[in-house]
Amino acid sequence: MSEKYFIVTYGCQMNVHESEKIAGILRRIGYEEEAEKKEEADIIVFNTCCIRENAENHAFGNIGALKKLKKQKPHLLIAVGGCMTQEKGKTDVLKKKFPFIDIMFGTLNLEELEELIRKKKLQKKRVISIREKEGEIVEFDDAYRTSYPNAWVNIMYGCNNFCSYCIVPYVRGRERSRDPENIVAEVKKLVAEGYREITLLGQNVNSYGSDGSTGVTFAELLDRVASIAGKFRVRFMTSHPKDFNEDVVKVMQKHPKICRLVHLPVQSGSNSVLSAMNRRYTREKYLQEVEMLRSYFPEAELTTDIIVGFPGETEEDYLATEELVKEVNFASAFTFVYSPREGTKATEMPNHVPEEIQKDRIMRLVALVNSLTRQKSEAYVGKTVEILCEDYDEKKGLYLGRDEFGRMGYFKSEKNLVGEFISLKVTKANGISLFGEIVVD
Ligand code: 5AD
Ligand code: SF4
């Protein structure tokens, strides 16, 4: 009987793709099948996130819940990796709290997992290996992808920005950019395999190659990727407003393949909060960039990340964020309550915002964002949009996919259309989702 694996992923797209790399490693060493439930697995890997406290609490809860299973099934291996293990002192906490963990590894030495599993199988003692500093980029050519027809492609790792609230630079190290030849070769291979949407990933894609190591800027890389022949879409994330520029937009103009959607995290609409966050741009600069983008593509959409309740944020600051959200008219926004992360500058700042006020602000902001999203959905009714079919929803009995702006559309089909582009005439909008009929042209 083949051995089975189960991976639990927390956090961002970067982690989702890293779990695909972990699955690739596990398959390489003989774990042939993905288990449907944890109880059926021979190895369980937790790919953790530490960006906010609740992501950590989830992981703690879920790891703790395995104590019984491990007792019943002693041959089961439990491995913990991801950003949490890179956090200072966290492995000691994990060791103490969960003595049944067999393996711990970091995001900076993911590739070692294969060796660590081998080692653990030969010894009783648990195996821990966390790399403290980033090393050379290790290329993976056997990630086991699970999101067809979409594929994630790392273009860089790490972050140099040290936004005052953020733990990422501490756990993922300094920026390193992948060789452009490797990126282009990976995308060519994915397109040849039938992937129809390529998302270039980095913490701050606009600073790709800015250390001179690649000889290519992000705009040039994007141009090369979008020049690859074939019918597919290109997305990229995350753009940083301090570095987002017209060169990138000019490349977008050259290639209809590049979605006219930019994820541009603003974090706050107040200049004093932006400055305390060490974001290194102003509200005015952000709005200028939005204007520049829309001067090229009036139809362009933006998505963003926003934090409320940052230390020192006043009601006036918060209202400035609301105003900015309305002015930009975001397609959608990820909204967060500030979460103090040990070791970051913001934890030492005065005037932490009381929890009730944070809660009140996040509720107001979510309501505002939802109302904008709903209005945009309603404006779709009657229009025909191109959807990349991604999946089948068994409950609804409908296929689903997204348009270039990331809007989800549902439709009926007798034929399996996953991986195909279809024209959808939108007949109904419901919250963030669209419903419609396929138009045959
Ligand atoms: N608290 C709340 N949100 C945070 N983010 C990053 N760090 C924190 C924190 N300490 C949010 C930012 C970032 C997104 C990925 O997560 O908005 O853009
Ligand atoms: Fe964190 Fe800022 Fe880097 Fe994004 S750019 S990962 S928010 S430090």
Side-chain angles (χ1 to χ4, degrees):
M1 215 173 64
S2 69
E3 292 210 290
K4 293 185 182 175
Y5 65 88
F6 193 94
I7 303 173
V8 189
T9 308
Y10 304 87
C12 61
Q13 232 35 266
M14 198 72 83
N15 264 22
V16 170
H17 184 41
E18 267 159 17
S19 288
E20 295 180 334
K21 293 179 184 174
I22 292 172
I25 294 174
L26 297 176
R27 288 180 165 256
R28 197 193 297 158
I29 58 173
Y31 292 95
E32 285 172 14
E33 246 186 282
E34 193 177 348
E36 275 178 24
K37 296 190 271 185
K38 284 188 194 129
E39 290 71 18
E40 291 167 2
D42 301 286
I43 185 166
I44 300 174
V45 182
F46 289 91
N47 189 12
T48 60
C49 168
C50 61
I51 200 147
R52 282 170 293 276
E53 200 186 351
N54 51 12
E56 282 200 1
N57 291 345
H58 269 148
F60 270 103
N62 292 347
I63 299 169
L66 284 187
K67 190 174 170 186
K68 212 168 125 202
L69 185 64
K70 177 75 182 173
K71 254 203 184 129
Q72 292 164 349
K73 207 173 162 180
H75 89 274
L76 165 70
L77 288 183
I78 297 177
V80 179
C83 292
M84 214 164 99
T85 58
Q86 294 284 163
E87 244 182 293
K88 222 172 160 197
K90 262 295 141 67
T91 46
D92 289 334
V93 178
L94 285 163
K95 269 199 285 194
K96 258 208 195 118
K97 248 180 129 87
F98 310 119
F100 53 86
I101 294 176
D102 298 291
I103 298 165
M104 280 196 238
F105 62 104
T107 47
L108 300 178
N109 61 337
L110 191 66
E111 68 285 354
E112 260 186 63
L113 181 60
E114 175 172 351
E115 193 45 43
L116 300 179
I117 295 173
R118 282 220 179 87
K119 207 164 148 193
K120 173 62 204 170
K121 285 187 169 171
L122 297 173
Q123 70 181 55
K124 228 174 155 270
K125 216 174 129 222
R126 74 173 143 222
V127 181
I128 301 178
S129 176
I130 315 283
R131 197 189 169 123
E132 285 200 3
K133 234 180 117 35
E134 65 283 353
E136 292 287 302
I137 288 179
V138 177
E139 292 287 336
F140 280 83
D141 55 13
D142 58 356
Y144 182 72
R145 296 181 183 270
T146 48
S147 50
Y148 176 84
N150 308 325
W152 318 106
V153 173
N154 288 115
I155 63 165
M156 59 195 300
Y157 301 92
C159 182
N160 288 355
N161 293 311
F162 291 93
C163 299
S164 61
Y165 50 82
C166 186
I167 199 167
V168 169
Y170 301 92
V171 296
R172 285 192 174 265
R174 296 294 70 73
E175 282 175 4
R176 291 92 70 202
S177 297
R178 260 180 94 194
D179 182 333
E181 303 302 330
N182 292 342
I183 297 170
V184 169
E186 182 174 350
V187 177
K188 275 190 180 155
K189 187 165 166 260
L190 290 166
V191 172
E193 286 169 1
Y195 285 89
R196 293 287 168 258
E197 190 174 287
I198 305 292
T199 305
L200 305 178
L201 287 180
Q203 239 53 262
N204 173 7
V205 292
N206 306 101
S207 71
Y208 172 83
S210 61
D211 59 358
S213 63
T214 62
V216 174
T217 64
F218 175 61
E220 288 161 343
L221 176 74
L222 188 62
D223 190 16
R224 282 210 210 171
V225 167
S227 299
I228 294 170
K231 168 92 178 146
F232 66 100
R233 284 178 182 161
V234 181
R235 299 186 190 277
F236 53 89
M237 66 186 290
T238 297
S239 299
H240 194 306
K242 84 178 166 61
D243 300 316
F244 184 68
N245 60 45
E246 201 160 351
D247 291 351
V248 172
V249 182
K250 283 188 176 143
V251 173
M252 290 171 75
Q253 194 182 33
K254 213 172 130 185
H255 300 281
K257 271 189 182 121
I258 306 173
C259 298
R260 272 69 169 123
L261 169 76
V262 179
H263 182 60
L264 198 62
V266 68
Q267 313 297 359
S268 168
S270 148
N271 280 335
S272 64
V273 174
L274 286 173
S275 163
M277 286 177 163
N278 191 31
R279 290 291 286 177
R280 288 177 279 169
Y281 56 84
T282 58
R283 169 194 180 94
E284 292 73 26
K285 174 160 188 312
Y286 187 92
L287 291 171
Q288 266 167 23
E289 283 171 10
V290 173
E291 205 179 292
M292 182 270 291
L293 175 70
R294 289 193 169 139
S295 72
Y296 281 80
F297 317 110
E299 77 282 17
E301 292 281 9
L302 289 112
T303 55
T304 200
D305 295 346
I306 300 169
I307 299 176
V308 297
F310 185 78
E313 184 190 66
T314 61
E315 177 64 15
E316 205 185 342
D317 293 321
Y318 167 74
L319 291 175
T321 300
E322 278 199 0
E323 279 311 307
L324 182 132
V325 167
K326 286 186 214 154
E327 194 167 336
V328 178
N329 194 9
F330 291 108
S332 68
F334 298 99
T335 51
F336 308 106
V337 170
Y338 166 71
S339 169
R341 304 283 64 211
E342 215 179 303
T344 61
K345 288 252 159 63
T347 56
E348 294 154 25
M349 290 181 183
N351 303 324
H352 277 246
V353 178
E355 212 180 303
E356 319 83 75
I357 297 184
Q358 288 182 318
K359 274 195 185 146
D360 175 61
R361 288 183 189 160
I362 193 83
M363 274 162 54
R364 285 150 70 197
L365 187 62
V366 168
L368 171 63
V369 168
N370 287 348
S371 76
L372 294 180
T373 310
R374 254 198 313 275
Q375 275 172 28
K376 279 185 192 273
S377 290
E378 275 147 26
Y380 267 95
V381 177
K383 286 190 184 154
T384 300
V385 290
E386 186 183 59
I387 297 268
L388 171 60
C389 180
E390 294 178 354
D391 209 350
Y392 178 69
D393 184 322
E394 299 227 351
K395 263 199 202 144
K396 290 193 171 77
L398 297 172
Y399 282 90
L400 61 122
R402 279 171 303 143
D403 74 346
E404 72 171 305
F405 306 116
R407 195 53 66 107
M408 193 71 83
Y410 290 86
F411 50 93
K412 245 201 180 101
S413 165
E414 296 305 319
K415 216 172 95 192
N416 179 358
L417 292 174
V418 174
E420 290 187 35
F421 288 95
I422 59 124
S423 290
L424 187 77
K425 172 134 203 254
V426 181
T427 51
K428 203 176 94 183
N430 184 358
I432 54 168
S433 309
L434 309 174
F435 294 82
E437 287 154 14
I438 298 178
V439 182
V440 186
D441 32 36

